[in-house]
Amino acid sequence: MSTYAAPLRDMLFTMKEVGGLDAICAQPGHEETTPDLVEAILQEAAHYATGVLDPLNRTGDVQGARWHDGQVTPADGFREAWASFCENGWNGMPAATEWGGQGLPTLVSTAVLEMWKSSNLAFSLCQMLTLGAVEAIAHHGSDALKRRFLEPMVAGRWTGTMNLTEPQAGSDLAALRSRAVPEGDHYRVSGNKIFITWGEHDMAENIVHLVLARLPDAPPGVKGISLFLCPKYLVNDDGSLGERNDLACTSIEHKMGIHGSPTASMSFGDCGGAIGYLVGEPNQGLACMFTMMNHARLNVGLEGVGIAERAYQRARAYALERVQGKPLLSGSTTIAGHPDVRRMLMDMKARTEAMRALAYFCAGQMDRAAGHADAQEREQALALVGLLIPVVKGWCTDSAQGITSDGVQVHGGMGYVEETGASQHLRDARITTIYEGTTGIQANDLIGRKLAREGGRTLKALLGRIDGDARRLAEMPDAALAQIGGVLAASARALGDAADWLLAHDDQPAQCAAGAVPFLRLAGTVIGGWLSARMAEAATAQLAARSGDAGFLGAKRATASHYAAHVLVQAPMLRDIVTGGAASTLALADDQL
């Protein structure tokens, strides 16, 4: 079985040419984050991912987390890995320095997080949920809650969760039934939650649960949801741990993938009510949760990138060593010389690099929105982040389904055998299109709140940038860049046509919703193609200046050309599905399905 190796050259190239690393490092507050320091951080993270997390990935999948009488024991090695992970400062790296984090740019932490997700997705989820809870408390918690909870959570001594979903509600948060009754300076919380990632384990001293619940006088629907902090163990005034709170893990799920990550069913208040503390204002719980939603959805999209990269690396290693049949490509002696295998590998590589570019571009825009010196630039970056987040989450995870499936296909029959490891990536990837909002939810957010609400203003501004680059490339004497530019121009027109159709038919919500996921795929395909084209142009310039690795830069050009010829050309087809596919989608009655 192959060992994960972080694609550092591609990561750094993408951070600089797409994410805008140099400009972000020059922003106020990041002056000490030099490109050299960033490279050193990434190299150390790569060593940790390869040496510690990747070897445990198989163990987590085969052994999984184990539940017994309300207690959950992680797979062998996870507890020790969490201790070393936190001791080395990795857990709190993206957090603010005020609470013990390193305060690094989102772009830098995004690249590091990709390595955790590639090497051991199940393990990485504990950090992701903890830092999401940290962000919500930091933005909305009282000063007392911040002082009591944030530092040990950033250090990793305590971990965090998000408790949203209930058995009867699913994604419909308006149907939540959990209750919170005021009692002095706290509340008594009761209810049942499901699908709580890392909801119970013994890797940390305490677990801080953020729980959505309703106050007795709350209005109905999502407007009546509040957010409460319910620790597993109550915390004394001096910061020491007190008695066990009234909450319990009643079971963990038997899942298709991410077996190393316990997905808990939680019961609050079986013996009178779990003590909880209000986070933010009453009935504003959903707004508090959405504070961390952008980062959470970026990170889940990054899971699509990470798993796709790992699946590609495993498939490439197998194809380069497996001898079978007579290769048609000269110079090849293995199945990598069979054109169809080469097609799959190129497709996996091109799509993954485009996905990485989209995630890093979005992370860079988050940094611009948070710290650019010009207020107008901050405002524009923030609007662009809002547009991009559902695309990153939806398109990257959706694409990972096909990439990990191709990884199994490259292995042939051996890919269907668990021992090769290829099938784990396919199984692990499957959840990423579901949690933190399904692809359909992301797509409806994209066409509703992100497109229709502002009349397409942000998308049209982005399309103007894409079209300008496409026209410039199409006129270049370099044949490869000109070909990419021509396809990119046509795909940008297709995306613009689809957006115009949706805006013109916003009075027909069912018809628009029927094409929402195809539109999201179209947006991801086009924006990913644009960023691939930008990387190809940058690689061409560096080749001309002889300022980089010629083999790597040449591969970037070839990969972008493959993306244009095999993926970007699908844009007009997706446009036609958006604008003309609703009638057949909605044609049958319930009893005809």
Side-chain angles (χ1 to χ4, degrees), residues 494-576:
L495 178 56
D497 291 345
D500 288 342
W501 187 91
L502 289 170
L503 291 170
H505 293 79
D506 65 350
D507 60 340
Q508 301 176 44
Q511 284 71 21
C512 290
V517 168
F519 181 76
L520 182 146
R521 290 171 177 162
L522 171 59
T525 297
V526 174
I527 301 170
W530 170 53
L531 298 173
S532 293
R534 285 179 52 180
M535 291 191 293
E537 185 177 15
T540 302
Q542 291 183 30
L543 279 170
R546 299 185 179 181
S547 59
D549 182 330
F552 169 78
L553 296 171
K556 294 300 293 183
R557 282 170 50 87
T559 303
S561 291
H562 181 89
Y563 186 95
H566 290 256
V567 183
L568 198 52
V569 292
Q570 298 173 23
M573 174 196 70
L574 290 167
R575 173 201 57 204
D576 293 346

Side-chain angles (χ1 to χ4, degrees), residues 28-376:
H30 294 317
E31 294 89 350
E32 295 181 4
T33 309
T34 64
D36 287 345
L37 176 62
V38 171
E39 187 169 353
I41 291 171
L42 264 58
Q43 288 175 342
E44 287 301 314
H47 291 320
Y48 191 87
T50 299
V52 178
L53 297 186
D54 187 56
L56 294 176
N57 195 36
R58 175 73 174 165
T59 304
D61 184 54
V62 173
Q63 191 179 79
R66 293 149 290 179
W67 180 93
H68 180 71
D69 290 340
Q71 305 296 314
V72 174
T73 304
D76 292 348
F78 272 50
R79 183 184 175 96
E80 294 76 13
W82 181 256
S84 69
F85 186 77
C86 296
E87 287 169 5
N88 286 300
W90 293 121
N91 182 64
M93 190 195 77
T97 55
E98 181 181 4
W99 309 111
Q102 297 176 30
L104 291 168
T106 300
L107 177 59
V108 178
S109 63
T110 294
V112 173
L113 288 174
E114 182 194 330
M115 298 186 211
W116 309 151
K117 296 176 183 303
S118 277
S119 58
N120 197 323
L121 174 59
F123 180 93
S124 77
L125 293 174
C126 190
Q127 182 206 23
M128 186 184 88
L129 271 297
T130 299
L131 293 182
V134 164
E135 188 177 2
I137 298 167
H139 278 82
H140 301 287
S142 66
D143 290 340
L145 289 181
K146 293 176 187 178
R147 288 192 301 269
R148 184 170 295 187
F149 289 96
L150 288 185
E151 188 173 345
M153 292 177 72
V154 170
R157 299 196 309 275
W158 303 351
T159 62
T161 71
M162 296 166 56
N163 288 251
L164 285 73
T165 309
E166 296 182 2
Q168 82 288 344
S171 297
D172 183 10
L173 297 181
L176 294 184
R177 296 175 183 168
S178 294
R179 308 290 291 177
V181 178
E183 182 183 84
D185 65 349
H186 57 262
Y187 295 77
R188 290 285 180 173
V189 178
S190 60
N192 295 297
K193 299 290 184 176
I194 60 172
F195 302 152
I196 310 307
T197 302
W198 285 98
E200 173 59 31
H201 60 86
D202 64 1
M203 299 197 307
E205 301 168 2
N206 203 2
I207 302 174
V208 179
H209 297 281
L210 293 185
V211 185
L212 289 181
R214 296 184 184 280
L215 294 169
D217 58 352
V222 295
K223 294 181 179 179
I225 298 173
S226 299
L227 181 63
F228 299 89
L229 186 158
C230 298
K232 177 180 176 180
Y233 292 100
L234 300 177
V235 182
N236 299 318
D237 291 339
D238 63 359
S240 62
L241 297 183
E243 63 183 31
R244 175 74 183 251
N245 206 355
D246 183 15
L247 56 91
C249 172
T250 56
S251 66
I252 58 174
E253 302 295 342
H254 302 279
K255 308 188 296 281
M256 179 179 180
I258 55 169
H259 297 150
S261 170
T263 302
S265 295
M266 300 295 300
S267 179
F268 294 83
D270 290 345
C271 301
I275 291 178
Y277 306 94
L278 181 67
V279 178
E281 298 297 321
N283 305 322
Q284 295 298 311
L286 207 56
C288 295
M289 277 294 189
F290 269 102
T291 295
M292 57 182 174
M293 205 60 76
N294 273 356
H295 278 281
R297 289 177 171 175
L298 168 65
N299 290 339
V300 175
L302 198 63
E303 290 173 8
V305 179
I307 299 174
E309 173 65 36
R310 189 66 185 96
Y312 167 67
Q313 288 190 18
R314 193 179 297 278
R316 180 187 62 196
Y318 183 82
L320 290 172
E321 68 180 19
R322 172 66 168 164
V323 177
Q324 184 176 349
K326 184 179 180 180
L328 294 180
L329 298 182
S330 61
S332 293
T333 59
T334 67
I335 63 170
H338 295 302
D340 188 59
V341 173
R342 187 63 64 94
R343 176 191 61 81
M344 287 187 285
L345 291 174
M346 283 296 294
D347 202 57
M348 295 172 77
K349 178 178 174 64
R351 288 177 181 269
T352 300
E353 291 183 7
M355 291 155 60
R356 176 178 296 117
L358 176 58
Y360 287 17
F361 178 66
C362 184
Q365 293 301 312
M366 285 182 167
D367 286 322
R368 287 175 64 85
H372 197 281
D374 183 82
Q376 186 176 1

